[in-house]
């Protein structure tokens, strides 16, 4: 019986199999956006004029409040435009946002609406 108890302890203390890395969260993209904007010393209002993206949506991109967008396609399109205006790689930004949209589509499900 002692032998089986030892096996159980060894089994419980063996290292777990490596887990897949967690996907990047939208607020990390937002941190890159905000850092680039702050480094430029320009205000959100300046980027509103340059991109024609409302301040509400620029703030949503910077904070990861994706539920503010009516649909994922708006977050993706605005991500590309805002990245370009900030001097960041728009292809990278769009790719990252598409990844987040695919991983978290519930953000766009509104109460009372069926999909």
């Amino acid at each position: 019986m002692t032998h089986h108890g030892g096996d159980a302890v060894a089994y419980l203390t063996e290292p777990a199999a490596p887990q897949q890395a967690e996907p990047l969260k939208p607020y990390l993209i937002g941190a890159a956006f905000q850092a680039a904007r702050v480094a430029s010393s320009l205000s959100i209002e300046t980027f509103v004029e340059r991109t024609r993206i409302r301040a509400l949506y620029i703030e949503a991109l910077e904070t990861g409040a994706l539920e503010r967008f009516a649909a994922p396609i708006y977050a993706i399109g605005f991500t590309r435009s805002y990245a370009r205006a900030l001097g960041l790689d728009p292809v990278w930004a769009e790719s990252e946002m598409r990844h987040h949209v695919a991983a978290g589509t519930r953000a766009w499900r509104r109460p009372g609406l069926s999909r």
Side-chain angles (χ1 to χ4, degrees):
M1 293 223 120
T2 305
H3 178 67
H4 293 292
D7 288 345
V9 171
Y11 175 75
L12 293 175
T13 59
E14 285 183 26
Q19 293 188 359
Q20 195 172 16
E22 269 193 46
L24 188 65
K25 304 285 188 255
Y27 67 84
L28 294 179
I29 291 173
F33 284 161
Q34 188 174 37
R37 181 179 53 78
V38 169
S40 75
S41 300
L42 298 174
S43 67
I44 287 178
E45 291 75 23
T46 299
F47 285 98
V48 167
E49 293 171 12
R50 288 183 178 185
T51 64
R52 298 184 185 194
I53 300 171
R54 291 177 45 196
L56 169 76
Y57 297 127
I58 289 176
E59 291 169 359
L61 290 173
E62 289 188 357
T63 62
L66 301 181
E67 68 279 356
R68 291 184 186 169
F69 295 97
I73 194 67
Y74 295 109
I76 293 166
F78 289 164
T79 292
R80 188 176 181 97
S81 296
Y82 192 40
R84 187 179 302 113
L86 289 166
L88 300 175
D89 180 1
V91 174
W92 166 82
E94 179 183 350
S95 173
E96 289 299 311
M97 184 57 75
R98 284 184 182 277
H99 173 79
H100 301 303
V101 165
T105 54
R106 283 188 228 160
W108 285 277
R109 293 189 183 154
R110 307 251 189 239
L113 296 179
S114 59
R115 292 206 178 199

